[in-house]
Amino acid sequence: MGSMVGIKDVARQAGVSVGTVSNVINRPDLVAEETRTRVQSVITRLGYVRSESARQLRAGASRIMALLVLDMGNPFFVAVASGAERTARAAGLGVMVCNSAQSVSEEREYLSLFAEQRVRGVLVTPADATGRSLDALRGQGIPFVLVDRVSADPAVCSVSVDDVAGGRLAAQHLIAAGHRTIVYVGGPPEMPQVRDRRAGALTALAEAGLPADALIEVSAERLDVAAGRDAGSRLLGLGHRPTAVFCANDLLALGVLQSMFAARISVPDEMAIVGYDDIEFAAAAAVPLTSVRQPAVSMGRLAAEMLLEETMGDPAGHRHRQTVLQPELVVRGSSLRRR
């Protein structure tokens, strides 16, 4: 493979200075038409492409916004990325999407890379519950916005959903359908979303006069379909089989649904299931899945707008804010039957 053509190569072939080539590219009105035509001809013949990263470093403003999510295998985060990308594109920016795979070490590597590349800013759903991974951005003065996570720091913007309210909606729905024992299939306990959705379910039980132990917890190491299948198999082995399941996200719920089918357990006749996120696959499941909807596209859009306000306007006049959106229960066939 040949070496990359540089601006010096263009200048040498065109018989002009590097500064003249730069002006042809960036300020063509300053260059005489004959010279401009000659330089542009050489650029075309050599296939020269300017180094955008170098230009951005000189200008001090990258045109790249980074987005780091927990799991790009989860359609919820694909929707978040879609909202962010549309907003960034409208502002003339691109979005670099990366996946931490719920790994703190991978998250730290990506955030260090973003800092090295001097991206304009970062949208991040942290895997590290302590927030220490974000020090790589703070140290370089790179703005960031938390997505699907409430910021406890008033100097940091965030966009999230009220997960306590969402968990309450899910449990209230199951209680209203006559269920008195509910299994909560949660994910890693250090994740605030998992804890908050559980807290909301407990609130609904208390409001209905039911004891806290009416919520039976079945843990999952990850928030994916395979973990849901495993959790479903374990809950079927409980001494007193419950009649309803609330899952911390839809992928877990789909895995539980698969395990019910495998065991010939009728959904919802013998087991009602409620998920969380309302991903596209929820409505398309063999038994359409009742789910707590998060406005994922709006979350991505709002987070990108916050970052643009901070990086394209007057930083001193930027007001950090923590926006909390409200969830919505979408009822489908997986939970409709009353007991």
Side-chain angles (χ1 to χ4, degrees), residues 268-293:
D269 294 345
E270 298 176 81
M271 188 76 71
I273 302 175
V274 175
Y276 204 105
D277 288 340
D278 195 33
I279 62 176
E280 182 178 356
F281 299 144
V287 177
L289 185 66
T290 293
S291 184
V292 178
R293 175 179 293 166

Side-chain angles (χ1 to χ4, degrees), residues 199-237:
L202 287 171
T203 297
L205 289 172
E207 291 172 343
L210 296 172
D213 60 10
L215 187 72
I216 302 170
E217 295 186 56
V218 174
S219 62
E221 292 186 0
R222 298 181 64 81
L223 297 170
D224 56 27
V225 174
R229 284 196 298 267
D230 175 68
S233 297
R234 283 185 283 132
L235 74 85
L236 287 176

Side-chain angles (χ1 to χ4, degrees), residues 5 77 87 128 144 177 215 227 327 331:
V5 175
F77 288 111
T87 302
D128 183 358
F144 60 89
L215 187 72
V331 179

Side-chain angles (χ1 to χ4, degrees), residues 2-320:
S3 59
M4 184 177 293
V5 175
I7 193 170
K8 291 181 180 179
D9 300 312
V10 175
R12 185 166 51 252
Q13 290 284 325
V16 298
S17 69
V18 169
T20 297
V21 177
S22 178
N23 282 337
V24 169
I25 296 170
N26 298 299
R27 294 180 295 176
D29 54 301
L30 298 181
V31 183
E33 182 178 356
E34 180 184 350
T35 302
R36 186 170 68 242
T37 300
R38 184 168 75 253
V39 171
Q40 288 172 335
S41 175
V42 172
I43 287 174
T44 301
R45 177 163 54 83
L46 296 181
Y48 168 73
V49 178
R50 69 176 177 176
S51 172
E52 183 65 14
S53 60
R55 187 195 69 79
Q56 290 170 5
L57 286 173
R58 288 193 299 272
S62 170
R63 293 181 57 241
I64 297 298
M65 179 187 296
L67 170 62
L68 182 61
V69 300
L70 289 176
D71 181 11
M72 278 305 293
N74 186 338
F76 166 74
F77 288 111
V78 175
V80 170
S82 174
E85 190 273 339
R86 292 177 198 169
T87 302
R89 182 190 296 176
L93 304 182
V95 177
M96 175 170 55
V97 182
C98 298
N99 177 27
S100 72
Q102 302 176 42
S103 166
V104 173
S105 62
E106 290 190 35
E107 174 178 86
R108 288 175 178 166
E109 290 175 6
Y110 273 123
L111 293 177
S112 294
L113 175 64
F114 297 157
E116 291 172 8
Q117 295 298 315
R118 296 292 199 277
V119 296
R120 177 177 290 269
V122 179
L123 310 178
V124 56
T125 303
D128 183 358
T130 69
R132 286 193 289 268
S133 294
L134 297 168
D135 289 344
L137 303 179
R138 292 188 179 97
Q140 296 296 328
I142 296 176
F144 60 89
V145 176
L146 301 187
V147 183
D148 195 29
R149 186 72 52 84
V150 178
S151 174
D153 183 352
V156 174
C157 284
S158 67
V159 182
S160 62
V161 167
D162 187 341
D163 284 317
V164 173
R168 182 168 173 261
L169 283 173
Q172 283 178 331
H173 170 66
L174 291 171
I175 293 167
H179 301 283
R180 293 298 176 263
T181 303
I182 300 171
V183 168
Y184 177 56
V185 178
E190 64 273 11
M191 292 185 63
Q193 298 96 321
V194 171
R195 295 198 305 267
D196 287 350
R197 292 165 195 179
R198 172 184 175 274
L202 287 171
T203 297
L205 289 172
E207 291 172 343
L210 296 172
D213 60 10
L215 187 72
I216 302 170
E217 295 186 56
V218 174
S219 62
E221 292 186 0
R222 298 181 64 81
L223 297 170
D224 56 27
V225 174
R229 284 196 298 267
D230 175 68
S233 297
R234 283 185 283 132
L235 74 85
L236 287 176
L238 296 174
H240 177 68
R241 183 185 296 171
T243 59
V245 186
F246 167 41
C247 298
N249 78 354
D250 283 343
L251 296 183
L252 287 173
L254 292 171
V256 170
L257 180 61
Q258 290 177 6
S259 68
M260 295 301 108
F261 279 1
R264 299 185 183 279
I265 302 297
S266 175
V267 176
D269 294 345
E270 298 176 81
M271 188 76 71
I273 302 175
V274 175
Y276 204 105
D277 288 340
D278 195 33
I279 62 176
E280 182 178 356
F281 299 144
V287 177
L289 185 66
T290 293
S291 184
V292 178
R293 175 179 293 166
Q294 296 200 81
V297 173
S298 294
M299 290 174 70
R301 174 179 57 80
L302 289 170
E305 287 175 354
M306 288 179 179
L307 194 58
L308 290 171
E309 288 172 9
E310 185 171 0
T311 61
M312 300 186 83
D314 177 13
H318 176 70
R319 181 176 61 85
H320 292 287

